[in-house]
Amino acid sequence: MLPEDEAILADLTSSRRSVERGDILREGAQQQSVVLVVEGWVYRYKQLENGKRQIVSIFIPGDLCQPFGATPRALDHSLAALNQAVLSFVPPQVLLGAARSNPRIEEALWCDLLKTDALVREHMVSLGRRSATERLRHFFCEIHERLAVVGLVEGDTFDLPLTQVDMADLFGLSAVHVNRALQNLRSSDLLSMRSRKVTLPEVAALRELSMFSSADPQRDGVVYSRA
Amino acid sequence: MLPEDEAILADLTSSRRSVERGDILREGAQQQSVVLVVEGWVYRYKQLENGKRQIVSIFIPGDLCQPFGATPRALDHSLAALNQAVLSFVPPQVLLGAARSNPRIEEALWCDLLKTDALVREHMVSLGRRSATERLRHFFCEIHERLAVVGLVEGDTFDLPLTQVDMADLFGLSAVHVNRALQNLRSSDLLSMRSRKVTLPEVAALRELSMFSSADPQRDGVVYSRA
DNA sequence: CGTTTTCTTGACAGGGATCAACACTAGTGG
DNA sequence: CCACTAGTGTTGATCCCTGTCAAGAAAACG
């Protein structure tokens, strides 16, 4: 990314806001701006009348939580933070303007949008066609790769601010079963977890097992990378 | 939609192509154009190494099968037709150009994109948190509403070119279980099916039961409507 | 430190998968 | 026009993955 592009994108994060764990925008809220994650983890979810919840996307630093051209409208889902997070609320006009003024930025924004969609699709495959253990394996590969891109993996270890209840709602499982599937992974020595820190000693083997294919061969589409 | 807009959009369907049931684009293919469905049903799916398949989206006439700014890239999924379909392959530059030249078109394209995403999210909720019967009920409500918008519902009846195997791959179930869930619906007199024709005698009751909430209160975002 | 959240474990139940026939439909070619 | 075939729909029997309930252990937190 060229310096001039970076300058423009740095502007996007000039008006930051810090939020605590919990809802940021509720389903039905009139959404004015696009949320850019600067720090922390954010997720989208939908809640059913019977109390069941499904997490549909997870966002990490550098991710845009909505399509960059999302015009003001009522949200069909809720947006929440998993831990304390720093967000930037960017009016879509700003993003659209940046895209118009600079083809490279336009390209980067579209690239980001397409990758976000691709992740959602992969998640759907997990929900529909993978067993509990397979879902976990695949997810850990995916999140490891995404975090590595933005420099949030140290060695083979990273923070994972998800409780087992969160994971249950993410994977479409019960919390009890997530617990048991995690024990599976731990006993196979492909994963260790303690106090929200995950270590994947053999990522390559894990990828092999979970038939994980990188969604991001080029790794050039991150809209905003941490300094 | 104003006449001048319609003229521009009509242009988009000038170069049509007819396809038979089966794959249109395979995963990994280099995608050059955005596919617009003029007639017939199209779907996106992903296939796993073990042969399992997950359908991630269904498209009906008037739908754009990719984000309108999708730049040429390798597809992460496959695109296929459920029945004989007429498609228009539109270069993204054409759509982006139309968007730049006319704010109403830009708005319509973004609106379409956001709605497609919203449908995907609702589908994820089904996969993760709804029982087999609930998934079917919800799907029939959704598809009924979408078909009605483009004038493909007569009375309370419409064509459904999905086999039970297709539905299984759409809902993340086995074909046998789809069959049994369908019998549930039929025995409750909320649905009748014969030779690919579906009738929903009491859509209102079905919506109530499936807690279906319209994703499209305004119904103004269809990019291309059949004449 | 108590309190609350989160994690773990066991027993049990159930939704849905799998396997294997068989019926039905539609398309094929003789 | 009718058998032949392949795909689709239907049914029954059985298994197992995952959910639910409940209770205790461990960790996080002020």
Side-chain angles (χ1 to χ4, degrees):
Chain A
M1 197 176 291
L2 301 187
E4 57 182 288
D5 301 359
E6 282 199 38
I8 295 175
L9 292 177
D11 261 1
L12 299 182
T13 67
S14 56
S15 68
R16 302 177 177 198
R17 200 177 105 196
S18 184
V19 299
E20 300 299 312
R21 177 182 230 267
D23 282 351
I24 299 165
L25 293 167
R26 281 276 179 78
E27 178 169 345
Q30 204 65 23
Q31 176 210 2
Q32 299 297 334
S33 297
V34 171
V35 176
L36 173 63
V37 183
V38 179
E39 272 181 51
W41 290 45
V42 170
Y43 64 102
R44 284 203 278 226
Y45 71 94
K46 286 182 76 101
Q47 190 132 22
L48 299 182
E49 284 78 351
N50 57 19
K52 288 181 180 176
R53 189 175 74 139
Q54 178 64 49
I55 294 179
V56 293
S57 310
I58 295 268
F59 300 105
I60 61 170
D63 288 342
L64 225 40
C65 300
Q66 289 96 5
F68 63 96
T71 47
R73 70 195 319 103
L75 273 185
D76 70 300
H77 60 273
S78 301
L79 196 69
L82 280 167
N83 48 13
Q84 196 192 306
V86 177
L87 310 176
S88 176
F89 289 76
V90 188
Q93 302 90 294
V94 172
L95 287 171
L96 288 167
R100 266 187 219 102
S101 71
N102 186 326
R104 272 189 309 277
I105 290 184
E106 181 174 31
E107 172 67 18
L109 287 168
W110 277 109
C111 192
D112 179 77
L113 186 152
L114 294 170
K115 280 175 187 168
T116 302
D117 280 4
L119 287 178
V120 165
R121 267 172 233 132
E122 197 62 62
H123 190 181
M124 289 181 65
V125 173
S126 278
L127 291 174
R129 289 306 188 200
R130 283 197 258 255
S131 73
T133 312
E134 287 169 338
R135 292 180 207 188
L136 292 193
R137 276 204 292 253
H138 197 277
F139 172 73
F140 284 116
C141 286
E142 176 204 307
I143 208 66
H144 175 270
E145 173 158 310
R146 290 172 64 191
L147 289 171
V149 170
V150 290
L152 289 174
V153 177
E154 291 180 33
D156 41 18
T157 301
F158 53 87
D159 270 329
L160 186 83
L162 289 164
T163 69
Q164 293 183 359
V165 172
D166 293 329
M167 292 192 226
D169 289 336
L170 176 63
F171 299 129
L173 299 168
S174 69
V176 172
H177 203 67
V178 166
N179 182 294
R180 292 182 167 129
L182 278 172
Q183 293 178 45
N184 265 348
L185 287 193
R186 282 192 277 234
S187 68
S188 63
D189 288 324
L190 289 171
L191 170 145
S192 67
M193 266 180 91
R194 55 183 203 297
S195 66
R196 304 286 151 78
K197 288 252 183 214
V198 172
T199 303
L200 307 179
E202 299 176 71
V203 188
L206 189 61
R207 284 174 174 242
E208 184 66 26
L209 252 182
S210 60
M211 303 184 292
F212 179 82
S213 56
S214 175
D216 187 6
Q218 305 107 282
R219 296 198 175 179
D220 59 354
V222 184
V223 170
Y224 164 79
S225 299
R226 295 168 82 245
Chain B
M1 200 176 290
L2 302 186
E4 55 182 290
D5 302 358
E6 281 199 38
I8 295 176
L9 293 176
D11 260 3
L12 300 181
T13 66
S14 55
S15 67
R16 301 177 178 198
R17 200 178 106 195
S18 185
V19 299
E20 299 300 312
R21 179 182 227 265
D23 284 350
I24 300 166
L25 292 167
R26 281 276 179 78
E27 178 170 346
Q30 204 66 23
Q31 176 210 2
Q32 299 297 333
S33 296
V34 172
V35 175
L36 173 63
V37 183
V38 179
E39 271 180 53
W41 291 45
V42 171
Y43 65 102
R44 286 203 276 225
Y45 71 93
K46 287 181 75 102
Q47 190 132 21
L48 299 181
E49 284 79 350
N50 56 20
K52 288 182 179 175
R53 189 175 75 139
Q54 178 64 49
I55 294 179
V56 294
S57 309
I58 295 267
F59 300 106
I60 60 170
D63 288 342
L64 225 39
C65 300
Q66 291 95 7
F68 64 97
T71 46
R73 68 194 321 103
L75 273 186
D76 69 300
H77 59 273
S78 301
L79 195 70
L82 280 167
N83 48 12
Q84 197 193 307
V86 177
L87 310 176
S88 176
F89 289 76
V90 188
Q93 302 91 295
V94 171
L95 288 170
L96 288 167
R100 267 187 218 103
S101 72
N102 186 325
R104 273 190 308 277
I105 290 184
E106 179 174 33
E107 171 67 17
L109 287 168
W110 277 110
C111 193
D112 179 77
L113 186 152
L114 294 169
K115 280 175 187 167
T116 303
D117 280 4
L119 287 178
V120 165
R121 267 171 234 132
E122 197 62 63
H123 190 180
M124 289 181 66
V125 173
S126 278
L127 291 174
R129 290 303 189 201
R130 284 197 258 254
S131 73
T133 312
E134 288 170 337
R135 293 180 206 188
L136 292 193
R137 275 203 292 251
H138 198 277
F139 172 73
F140 284 115
C141 287
E142 177 205 306
I143 208 68
H144 174 270
E145 173 158 309
R146 290 172 63 191
L147 289 171
V149 171
V150 290
L152 290 174
V153 177
E154 291 178 35
D156 40 18
T157 301
F158 54 88
D159 271 328
L160 186 82
L162 288 164
T163 68
Q164 292 182 1
V165 173
D166 293 330
M167 291 192 227
D169 289 336
L170 176 62
F171 299 129
L173 299 168
S174 70
V176 171
H177 203 68
V178 166
N179 182 294
R180 290 179 171 135
L182 278 172
Q183 293 178 45
N184 264 347
L185 287 193
R186 281 191 278 232
S187 68
S188 63
D189 287 324
L190 289 171
L191 170 143
S192 67
M193 266 180 91
R194 55 183 202 299
S195 66
R196 302 286 153 77
K197 287 252 184 215
V198 172
T199 303
L200 307 179
E202 298 177 71
V203 189
L206 190 60
R207 284 174 173 242
E208 184 66 27
L209 252 183
S210 61
M211 302 184 291
F212 179 82
S213 57
S214 175
D216 187 6
Q218 303 106 279
R219 297 197 176 181
D220 58 354
V222 185
V223 169
Y224 165 78
S225 299
R226 295 168 85 247

